[in-house]
Amino acid sequence: MMLLTFILVQNHSFFAHILHLLHDGGLFFMLPILVSFFVIIFLIIKNGLIIRKKKKSSAKQIKLINSIGLMILVWGVLGQLLGLVEALDRVEMLDDVSTEILAVGLKLSSLPTIFGSFVFVISRIATIVFVWFEKEV
């Protein structure tokens, strides 16, 4: 019972940490990345079911997974660049800035790129697996 309580507390703090990172990265950029991640997962499952039924991968699903993954990578980079410009504008306004404040700004501006890169990698791995499976059949 104690182990189950510990696991539940750890899971709660994990999800709270993820939500905190989504908020810190800027909801305008992070929410579309999150939604696109779920769309990619849906498309991966759908293509898996198509493969199971027809024994052949759907080219349309693979193209969608690739296109969404690439778009999200670029969206994350755009979020980082805009966040970086905003952070540098604030540094310029404040005459004397500590390295801690600068480091936090750089970290927060990189969150959309990190999350977008994660989604991109998942989409690419799925594509590689589907193409590999297609060649084997």
Side-chain angles (χ1 to χ4, degrees), residues 37-80:
F37 174 69
F38 289 131
V39 168
I40 286 173
I41 296 299
F42 170 76
L43 291 172
I44 290 170
I45 292 170
K46 186 176 177 184
N47 197 30
L49 293 174
I50 290 171
I51 290 172
R52 187 173 179 192
K53 184 177 179 181
K54 296 182 179 179
K55 301 292 184 204
K56 186 176 180 188
S57 186
S58 169
K60 179 181 178 182
Q61 302 296 325
I62 291 174
K63 286 180 184 179
L64 275 171
I65 291 169
N66 282 335
S67 296
I68 293 171
L70 184 58
M71 189 223 21
I72 287 305
L73 177 65
V74 173
W75 184 253
V77 170
L78 178 65
Q80 179 177 12

mmCIF file of all heavy atoms in Angstrom, residues 37-80:
data_model
loop_
_atom_site.group_PDB
_atom_site.id
_atom_site.type_symbol
_atom_site.label_atom_id
_atom_site.label_comp_id
_atom_site.label_asym_id
_atom_site.label_seq_id
_atom_site.Cartn_x
_atom_site.Cartn_y
_atom_site.Cartn_z
ATOM 1 N N PHE A 37 1.173 16.244 -31.084
ATOM 2 C CA PHE A 37 1.724 14.986 -30.568
ATOM 3 C C PHE A 37 0.621 13.936 -30.462
ATOM 4 O O PHE A 37 0.800 12.787 -30.890
ATOM 5 C CB PHE A 37 2.387 15.226 -29.215
ATOM 6 C CG PHE A 37 2.871 13.976 -28.534
ATOM 7 C CD1 PHE A 37 3.937 13.268 -29.049
ATOM 8 C CD2 PHE A 37 2.251 13.520 -27.391
ATOM 9 C CE1 PHE A 37 4.393 12.112 -28.430
ATOM 10 C CE2 PHE A 37 2.692 12.363 -26.766
ATOM 11 C CZ PHE A 37 3.763 11.667 -27.285
ATOM 12 N N PHE A 38 -0.533 14.328 -29.920
ATOM 13 C CA PHE A 38 -1.647 13.383 -29.806
ATOM 14 C C PHE A 38 -2.195 12.989 -31.177
ATOM 15 O O PHE A 38 -2.577 11.837 -31.378
ATOM 16 C CB PHE A 38 -2.751 13.954 -28.914
ATOM 17 C CG PHE A 38 -2.364 14.015 -27.464
ATOM 18 C CD1 PHE A 38 -2.559 15.175 -26.743
ATOM 19 C CD2 PHE A 38 -1.789 12.935 -26.821
ATOM 20 C CE1 PHE A 38 -2.204 15.254 -25.411
ATOM 21 C CE2 PHE A 38 -1.421 12.994 -25.490
ATOM 22 C CZ PHE A 38 -1.633 14.159 -24.782
ATOM 23 N N VAL A 39 -2.200 13.915 -32.130
ATOM 24 C CA VAL A 39 -2.634 13.585 -33.490
ATOM 25 C C VAL A 39 -1.670 12.580 -34.125
ATOM 26 O O VAL A 39 -2.103 11.618 -34.770
ATOM 27 C CB VAL A 39 -2.742 14.863 -34.355
ATOM 28 C CG1 VAL A 39 -2.914 14.534 -35.826
ATOM 29 C CG2 VAL A 39 -3.892 15.741 -33.862
ATOM 30 N N ILE A 40 -0.386 12.767 -33.918
ATOM 31 C CA ILE A 40 0.601 11.826 -34.459
ATOM 32 C C ILE A 40 0.428 10.445 -33.832
ATOM 33 O O ILE A 40 0.482 9.431 -34.537
ATOM 34 C CB ILE A 40 2.029 12.367 -34.266
ATOM 35 C CG1 ILE A 40 2.280 13.511 -35.255
ATOM 36 C CG2 ILE A 40 3.077 11.270 -34.447
ATOM 37 C CD1 ILE A 40 3.586 14.230 -35.067
ATOM 38 N N ILE A 41 0.209 10.407 -32.521
ATOM 39 C CA ILE A 41 -0.032 9.113 -31.857
ATOM 40 C C ILE A 41 -1.269 8.443 -32.454
ATOM 41 O O ILE A 41 -1.269 7.237 -32.737
ATOM 42 C CB ILE A 41 -0.168 9.296 -30.333
ATOM 43 C CG1 ILE A 41 1.132 9.813 -29.721
ATOM 44 C CG2 ILE A 41 -0.622 8.005 -29.654
ATOM 45 C CD1 ILE A 41 2.321 8.887 -29.901
ATOM 46 N N PHE A 42 -2.340 9.231 -32.674
ATOM 47 C CA PHE A 42 -3.554 8.693 -33.287
ATOM 48 C C PHE A 42 -3.258 8.137 -34.677
ATOM 49 O O PHE A 42 -3.714 7.044 -35.034
ATOM 50 C CB PHE A 42 -4.636 9.782 -33.353
ATOM 51 C CG PHE A 42 -5.831 9.393 -34.166
ATOM 52 C CD1 PHE A 42 -6.771 8.513 -33.663
ATOM 53 C CD2 PHE A 42 -6.004 9.904 -35.450
ATOM 54 C CE1 PHE A 42 -7.871 8.139 -34.417
ATOM 55 C CE2 PHE A 42 -7.093 9.548 -36.217
ATOM 56 C CZ PHE A 42 -8.039 8.659 -35.698
ATOM 57 N N LEU A 43 -2.504 8.874 -35.486
ATOM 58 C CA LEU A 43 -2.181 8.418 -36.841
ATOM 59 C C LEU A 43 -1.303 7.172 -36.831
ATOM 60 O O LEU A 43 -1.448 6.301 -37.696
ATOM 61 C CB LEU A 43 -1.502 9.540 -37.628
ATOM 62 C CG LEU A 43 -2.388 10.733 -37.996
ATOM 63 C CD1 LEU A 43 -1.553 11.851 -38.598
ATOM 64 C CD2 LEU A 43 -3.498 10.311 -38.936
ATOM 65 N N ILE A 44 -0.411 7.081 -35.861
ATOM 66 C CA ILE A 44 0.431 5.877 -35.736
ATOM 67 C C ILE A 44 -0.443 4.665 -35.429
ATOM 68 O O ILE A 44 -0.293 3.602 -36.041
ATOM 69 C CB ILE A 44 1.514 6.089 -34.657
ATOM 70 C CG1 ILE A 44 2.551 7.095 -35.146
ATOM 71 C CG2 ILE A 44 2.176 4.764 -34.281
ATOM 72 C CD1 ILE A 44 3.522 7.560 -34.065
ATOM 73 N N ILE A 45 -1.362 4.821 -34.497
ATOM 74 C CA ILE A 45 -2.260 3.714 -34.145
ATOM 75 C C ILE A 45 -3.147 3.352 -35.337
ATOM 76 O O ILE A 45 -3.336 2.167 -35.652
ATOM 77 C CB ILE A 45 -3.098 4.081 -32.909
ATOM 78 C CG1 ILE A 45 -2.193 4.172 -31.682
ATOM 79 C CG2 ILE A 45 -4.216 3.078 -32.684
ATOM 80 C CD1 ILE A 45 -2.853 4.767 -30.453
ATOM 81 N N LYS A 46 -3.673 4.372 -36.019
ATOM 82 C CA LYS A 46 -4.534 4.127 -37.185
ATOM 83 C C LYS A 46 -3.775 3.379 -38.272
ATOM 84 O O LYS A 46 -4.297 2.434 -38.868
ATOM 85 C CB LYS A 46 -5.067 5.460 -37.708
ATOM 86 C CG LYS A 46 -6.070 5.323 -38.818
ATOM 87 C CD LYS A 46 -6.620 6.677 -39.222
ATOM 88 C CE LYS A 46 -7.572 6.532 -40.389
ATOM 89 N NZ LYS A 46 -8.060 7.821 -40.862
ATOM 90 N N ASN A 47 -2.544 3.793 -38.546
ATOM 91 C CA ASN A 47 -1.751 3.100 -39.561
ATOM 92 C C ASN A 47 -1.416 1.679 -39.118
ATOM 93 O O ASN A 47 -1.368 0.770 -39.944
ATOM 94 C CB ASN A 47 -0.482 3.886 -39.881
ATOM 95 C CG ASN A 47 0.146 3.452 -41.184
ATOM 96 O OD1 ASN A 47 -0.547 3.018 -42.098
ATOM 97 N ND2 ASN A 47 1.453 3.559 -41.272
ATOM 98 N N GLY A 48 -1.183 1.501 -37.833
ATOM 99 C CA GLY A 48 -0.948 0.145 -37.326
ATOM 100 C C GLY A 48 -2.146 -0.754 -37.552
ATOM 101 O O GLY A 48 -2.006 -1.928 -37.913
ATOM 102 N N LEU A 49 -3.341 -0.211 -37.359
ATOM 103 C CA LEU A 49 -4.557 -0.993 -37.604
ATOM 104 C C LEU A 49 -4.744 -1.277 -39.091
ATOM 105 O O LEU A 49 -5.202 -2.361 -39.469
ATOM 106 C CB LEU A 49 -5.777 -0.254 -37.043
ATOM 107 C CG LEU A 49 -5.815 -0.124 -35.516
ATOM 108 C CD1 LEU A 49 -6.985 0.742 -35.083
ATOM 109 C CD2 LEU A 49 -5.865 -1.490 -34.867
ATOM 110 N N ILE A 50 -4.373 -0.310 -39.938
ATOM 111 C CA ILE A 50 -4.446 -0.535 -41.393
ATOM 112 C C ILE A 50 -3.475 -1.639 -41.798
ATOM 113 O O ILE A 50 -3.817 -2.514 -42.595
ATOM 114 C CB ILE A 50 -4.151 0.780 -42.155
ATOM 115 C CG1 ILE A 50 -5.298 1.764 -41.964
ATOM 116 C CG2 ILE A 50 -3.904 0.513 -43.635
ATOM 117 C CD1 ILE A 50 -5.019 3.157 -42.489
ATOM 118 N N ILE A 51 -2.277 -1.612 -41.236
ATOM 119 C CA ILE A 51 -1.296 -2.661 -41.542
ATOM 120 C C ILE A 51 -1.812 -4.018 -41.092
ATOM 121 O O ILE A 51 -1.688 -5.013 -41.809
ATOM 122 C CB ILE A 51 0.062 -2.347 -40.876
ATOM 123 C CG1 ILE A 51 0.723 -1.161 -41.566
ATOM 124 C CG2 ILE A 51 0.983 -3.566 -40.905
ATOM 125 C CD1 ILE A 51 1.967 -0.663 -40.862
ATOM 126 N N ARG A 52 -2.412 -4.044 -39.929
ATOM 127 C CA ARG A 52 -2.929 -5.311 -39.384
ATOM 128 C C ARG A 52 -4.046 -5.860 -40.267
ATOM 129 O O ARG A 52 -4.137 -7.071 -40.478
ATOM 130 C CB ARG A 52 -3.427 -5.087 -37.971
ATOM 131 C CG ARG A 52 -3.820 -6.320 -37.271
ATOM 132 C CD ARG A 52 -4.144 -6.026 -35.843
ATOM 133 N NE ARG A 52 -4.540 -7.250 -35.179
ATOM 134 C CZ ARG A 52 -5.084 -7.289 -34.006
ATOM 135 N NH1 ARG A 52 -5.288 -6.179 -33.332
ATOM 136 N NH2 ARG A 52 -5.420 -8.438 -33.460
ATOM 137 N N LYS A 53 -4.878 -4.966 -40.799
ATOM 138 C CA LYS A 53 -6.020 -5.390 -41.600
ATOM 139 C C LYS A 53 -5.631 -5.725 -43.034
ATOM 140 O O LYS A 53 -5.991 -6.763 -43.568
ATOM 141 C CB LYS A 53 -7.088 -4.294 -41.593
ATOM 142 C CG LYS A 53 -8.351 -4.651 -42.314
ATOM 143 C CD LYS A 53 -9.368 -3.536 -42.202
ATOM 144 C CE LYS A 53 -10.643 -3.891 -42.947
ATOM 145 N NZ LYS A 53 -11.626 -2.815 -42.881
ATOM 146 N N LYS A 54 -4.865 -4.828 -43.682
ATOM 147 C CA LYS A 54 -4.559 -4.978 -45.108
ATOM 148 C C LYS A 54 -3.173 -5.536 -45.374
ATOM 149 O O LYS A 54 -2.808 -5.743 -46.527
ATOM 150 C CB LYS A 54 -4.692 -3.625 -45.813
ATOM 151 C CG LYS A 54 -6.095 -3.074 -45.796
ATOM 152 C CD LYS A 54 -6.151 -1.762 -46.543
ATOM 153 C CE LYS A 54 -7.552 -1.204 -46.552
ATOM 154 N NZ LYS A 54 -7.632 0.077 -47.251
ATOM 155 N N LYS A 55 -2.356 -5.666 -44.329
ATOM 156 C CA LYS A 55 -0.971 -6.129 -44.476
ATOM 157 C C LYS A 55 -0.135 -5.164 -45.313
ATOM 158 O O LYS A 55 0.856 -5.549 -45.916
ATOM 159 C CB LYS A 55 -0.896 -7.536 -45.085
ATOM 160 C CG LYS A 55 -1.599 -8.591 -44.309
ATOM 161 C CD LYS A 55 -0.924 -8.866 -43.007
ATOM 162 C CE LYS A 55 -1.618 -10.023 -42.304
ATOM 163 N NZ LYS A 55 -1.427 -10.007 -40.901
ATOM 164 N N LYS A 56 -0.570 -3.914 -45.389
ATOM 165 C CA LYS A 56 0.162 -2.903 -46.146
ATOM 166 C C LYS A 56 -0.023 -1.556 -45.460
ATOM 167 O O LYS A 56 -1.099 -1.227 -44.989
ATOM 168 C CB LYS A 56 -0.363 -2.820 -47.578
ATOM 169 C CG LYS A 56 0.430 -1.901 -48.443
ATOM 170 C CD LYS A 56 -0.056 -1.921 -49.869
ATOM 171 C CE LYS A 56 0.825 -0.953 -50.633
ATOM 172 N NZ LYS A 56 0.386 -0.712 -51.974
ATOM 173 N N SER A 57 1.058 -0.793 -45.405
ATOM 174 C CA SER A 57 1.031 0.506 -44.759
ATOM 175 C C SER A 57 0.356 1.536 -45.662
ATOM 176 O O SER A 57 0.426 1.459 -46.882
ATOM 177 C CB SER A 57 2.460 0.948 -44.448
ATOM 178 O OG SER A 57 2.452 2.124 -43.712
ATOM 179 N N SER A 58 -0.300 2.514 -45.039
ATOM 180 C CA SER A 58 -0.965 3.572 -45.788
ATOM 181 C C SER A 58 0.019 4.706 -46.066
ATOM 182 O O SER A 58 0.557 5.320 -45.141
ATOM 183 C CB SER A 58 -2.157 4.102 -44.988
ATOM 184 O OG SER A 58 -2.666 5.270 -45.565
ATOM 185 N N ALA A 59 0.254 4.977 -47.338
ATOM 186 C CA ALA A 59 1.177 6.059 -47.720
ATOM 187 C C ALA A 59 0.650 7.406 -47.246
ATOM 188 O O ALA A 59 1.425 8.277 -46.852
ATOM 189 C CB ALA A 59 1.379 6.060 -49.226
ATOM 190 N N LYS A 60 -0.665 7.575 -47.258
ATOM 191 C CA LYS A 60 -1.267 8.829 -46.805
ATOM 192 C C LYS A 60 -0.977 9.058 -45.326
ATOM 193 O O LYS A 60 -0.627 10.176 -44.924
ATOM 194 C CB LYS A 60 -2.770 8.799 -47.046
ATOM 195 C CG LYS A 60 -3.482 10.047 -46.593
ATOM 196 C CD LYS A 60 -4.973 9.958 -46.826
ATOM 197 C CE LYS A 60 -5.674 11.199 -46.316
ATOM 198 N NZ LYS A 60 -7.125 11.107 -46.487
ATOM 199 N N GLN A 61 -1.096 8.031 -44.508
ATOM 200 C CA GLN A 61 -0.840 8.164 -43.071
ATOM 201 C C GLN A 61 0.630 8.506 -42.819
ATOM 202 O O GLN A 61 0.939 9.352 -41.975
ATOM 203 C CB GLN A 61 -1.212 6.871 -42.328
ATOM 204 C CG GLN A 61 -2.640 6.441 -42.492
ATOM 205 C CD GLN A 61 -3.627 7.422 -41.913
ATOM 206 O OE1 GLN A 61 -3.380 8.053 -40.904
ATOM 207 N NE2 GLN A 61 -4.760 7.562 -42.578
ATOM 208 N N ILE A 62 1.519 7.858 -43.557
ATOM 209 C CA ILE A 62 2.954 8.120 -43.390
ATOM 210 C C ILE A 62 3.284 9.551 -43.778
ATOM 211 O O ILE A 62 4.034 10.238 -43.083
ATOM 212 C CB ILE A 62 3.788 7.105 -44.202
ATOM 213 C CG1 ILE A 62 3.653 5.720 -43.580
ATOM 214 C CG2 ILE A 62 5.254 7.515 -44.259
ATOM 215 C CD1 ILE A 62 4.314 4.619 -44.364
ATOM 216 N N LYS A 63 2.713 10.040 -44.876
ATOM 217 C CA LYS A 63 2.950 11.424 -45.290
ATOM 218 C C LYS A 63 2.415 12.407 -44.263
ATOM 219 O O LYS A 63 3.048 13.431 -43.976
ATOM 220 C CB LYS A 63 2.318 11.687 -46.656
ATOM 221 C CG LYS A 63 3.065 11.069 -47.802
ATOM 222 C CD LYS A 63 2.392 11.371 -49.128
ATOM 223 C CE LYS A 63 3.094 10.676 -50.262
ATOM 224 N NZ LYS A 63 2.445 10.927 -51.555
ATOM 225 N N LEU A 64 1.237 12.110 -43.698
ATOM 226 C CA LEU A 64 0.678 12.982 -42.662
ATOM 227 C C LEU A 64 1.559 13.017 -41.423
ATOM 228 O O LEU A 64 1.815 14.085 -40.856
ATOM 229 C CB LEU A 64 -0.735 12.517 -42.282
ATOM 230 C CG LEU A 64 -1.868 13.023 -43.145
ATOM 231 C CD1 LEU A 64 -3.160 12.315 -42.783
ATOM 232 C CD2 LEU A 64 -2.022 14.510 -42.990
ATOM 233 N N ILE A 65 2.026 11.863 -40.999
ATOM 234 C CA ILE A 65 2.901 11.793 -39.822
ATOM 235 C C ILE A 65 4.169 12.602 -40.070
ATOM 236 O O ILE A 65 4.601 13.382 -39.225
ATOM 237 C CB ILE A 65 3.216 10.323 -39.470
ATOM 238 C CG1 ILE A 65 1.970 9.617 -38.959
ATOM 239 C CG2 ILE A 65 4.336 10.239 -38.442
ATOM 240 C CD1 ILE A 65 2.104 8.115 -38.843
ATOM 241 N N ASN A 66 4.770 12.431 -41.258
ATOM 242 C CA ASN A 66 5.989 13.181 -41.594
ATOM 243 C C ASN A 66 5.739 14.680 -41.653
ATOM 244 O O ASN A 66 6.524 15.473 -41.125
ATOM 245 C CB ASN A 66 6.552 12.721 -42.937
ATOM 246 C CG ASN A 66 7.291 11.423 -42.828
ATOM 247 O OD1 ASN A 66 7.791 11.068 -41.767
ATOM 248 N ND2 ASN A 66 7.350 10.696 -43.912
ATOM 249 N N SER A 67 4.665 15.082 -42.305
ATOM 250 C CA SER A 67 4.375 16.504 -42.471
ATOM 251 C C SER A 67 4.087 17.179 -41.131
ATOM 252 O O SER A 67 4.591 18.278 -40.864
ATOM 253 C CB SER A 67 3.180 16.689 -43.407
ATOM 254 O OG SER A 67 3.481 16.210 -44.684
ATOM 255 N N ILE A 68 3.283 16.546 -40.309
ATOM 256 C CA ILE A 68 2.963 17.123 -39.004
ATOM 257 C C ILE A 68 4.213 17.186 -38.134
ATOM 258 O O ILE A 68 4.463 18.192 -37.461
ATOM 259 C CB ILE A 68 1.834 16.328 -38.312
ATOM 260 C CG1 ILE A 68 0.527 16.490 -39.094
ATOM 261 C CG2 ILE A 68 1.648 16.794 -36.872
ATOM 262 C CD1 ILE A 68 -0.579 15.574 -38.631
ATOM 263 N N GLY A 69 5.014 16.140 -38.145
ATOM 264 C CA GLY A 69 6.242 16.132 -37.347
ATOM 265 C C GLY A 69 7.192 17.244 -37.748
ATOM 266 O O GLY A 69 7.755 17.944 -36.898
ATOM 267 N N LEU A 70 7.376 17.441 -39.047
ATOM 268 C CA LEU A 70 8.269 18.501 -39.528
ATOM 269 C C LEU A 70 7.706 19.881 -39.209
ATOM 270 O O LEU A 70 8.438 20.780 -38.783
ATOM 271 C CB LEU A 70 8.509 18.355 -41.023
ATOM 272 C CG LEU A 70 9.505 19.328 -41.649
ATOM 273 C CD1 LEU A 70 10.867 19.219 -40.962
ATOM 274 C CD2 LEU A 70 9.634 19.077 -43.135
ATOM 275 N N MET A 71 6.388 20.053 -39.387
ATOM 276 C CA MET A 71 5.779 21.339 -39.081
ATOM 277 C C MET A 71 5.938 21.687 -37.598
ATOM 278 O O MET A 71 6.227 22.827 -37.236
ATOM 279 C CB MET A 71 4.295 21.336 -39.450
ATOM 280 C CG MET A 71 3.686 22.702 -39.342
ATOM 281 S SD MET A 71 2.064 22.896 -38.578
ATOM 282 C CE MET A 71 1.738 21.551 -37.580
ATOM 283 N N ILE A 72 5.802 20.692 -36.738
ATOM 284 C CA ILE A 72 5.923 20.931 -35.301
ATOM 285 C C ILE A 72 7.367 21.250 -34.928
ATOM 286 O O ILE A 72 7.615 22.079 -34.046
ATOM 287 C CB ILE A 72 5.362 19.728 -34.521
ATOM 288 C CG1 ILE A 72 3.852 19.743 -34.632
ATOM 289 C CG2 ILE A 72 5.795 19.724 -33.080
ATOM 290 C CD1 ILE A 72 3.193 21.035 -34.197
ATOM 291 N N LEU A 73 8.323 20.637 -35.578
ATOM 292 C CA LEU A 73 9.728 20.980 -35.331
ATOM 293 C C LEU A 73 9.973 22.447 -35.665
ATOM 294 O O LEU A 73 10.567 23.190 -34.869
ATOM 295 C CB LEU A 73 10.658 20.084 -36.145
ATOM 296 C CG LEU A 73 12.143 20.395 -36.035
ATOM 297 C CD1 LEU A 73 12.636 20.146 -34.617
ATOM 298 C CD2 LEU A 73 12.935 19.577 -37.035
ATOM 299 N N VAL A 74 9.491 22.887 -36.813
ATOM 300 C CA VAL A 74 9.664 24.286 -37.218
ATOM 301 C C VAL A 74 8.889 25.212 -36.281
ATOM 302 O O VAL A 74 9.369 26.291 -35.927
ATOM 303 C CB VAL A 74 9.240 24.471 -38.696
ATOM 304 C CG1 VAL A 74 9.233 25.925 -39.094
ATOM 305 C CG2 VAL A 74 10.170 23.675 -39.602
ATOM 306 N N TRP A 75 7.700 24.809 -35.861
ATOM 307 C CA TRP A 75 6.896 25.605 -34.924
ATOM 308 C C TRP A 75 7.653 25.793 -33.601
ATOM 309 O O TRP A 75 7.664 26.875 -33.029
ATOM 310 C CB TRP A 75 5.551 24.932 -34.701
ATOM 311 C CG TRP A 75 4.606 25.695 -33.842
ATOM 312 C CD1 TRP A 75 4.251 25.398 -32.551
ATOM 313 C CD2 TRP A 75 3.876 26.873 -34.182
ATOM 314 N NE1 TRP A 75 3.354 26.313 -32.093
ATOM 315 C CE2 TRP A 75 3.098 27.235 -33.072
ATOM 316 C CE3 TRP A 75 3.809 27.658 -35.331
ATOM 317 C CZ2 TRP A 75 2.273 28.339 -33.063
ATOM 318 C CZ3 TRP A 75 2.974 28.753 -35.320
ATOM 319 C CH2 TRP A 75 2.224 29.089 -34.199
ATOM 320 N N GLY A 76 8.299 24.736 -33.121
ATOM 321 C CA GLY A 76 9.077 24.836 -31.890
ATOM 322 C C GLY A 76 10.272 25.763 -32.035
ATOM 323 O O GLY A 76 10.582 26.546 -31.139
ATOM 324 N N VAL A 77 10.953 25.690 -33.172
ATOM 325 C CA VAL A 77 12.092 26.581 -33.418
ATOM 326 C C VAL A 77 11.618 28.030 -33.495
ATOM 327 O O VAL A 77 12.253 28.932 -32.941
ATOM 328 C CB VAL A 77 12.853 26.171 -34.696
ATOM 329 C CG1 VAL A 77 13.878 27.215 -35.086
ATOM 330 C CG2 VAL A 77 13.532 24.821 -34.490
ATOM 331 N N LEU A 78 10.478 28.253 -34.148
ATOM 332 C CA LEU A 78 9.912 29.599 -34.202
ATOM 333 C C LEU A 78 9.597 30.105 -32.797
ATOM 334 O O LEU A 78 9.874 31.262 -32.468
ATOM 335 C CB LEU A 78 8.657 29.621 -35.072
ATOM 336 C CG LEU A 78 7.933 30.959 -35.170
ATOM 337 C CD1 LEU A 78 8.814 31.996 -35.866
ATOM 338 C CD2 LEU A 78 6.612 30.792 -35.892
ATOM 339 N N GLY A 79 9.039 29.230 -31.963
ATOM 340 C CA GLY A 79 8.760 29.611 -30.576
ATOM 341 C C GLY A 79 10.020 29.983 -29.821
ATOM 342 O O GLY A 79 10.035 30.949 -29.049
ATOM 343 N N GLN A 80 11.088 29.236 -30.041
ATOM 344 C CA GLN A 80 12.347 29.557 -29.372
ATOM 345 C C GLN A 80 12.899 30.886 -29.854
ATOM 346 O O GLN A 80 13.353 31.705 -29.057
ATOM 347 C CB GLN A 80 13.385 28.470 -29.588
ATOM 348 C CG GLN A 80 14.700 28.821 -28.909
ATOM 349 C CD GLN A 80 15.748 27.736 -29.027
ATOM 350 O OE1 GLN A 80 15.605 26.807 -29.791
ATOM 351 N NE2 GLN A 80 16.806 27.869 -28.248
#
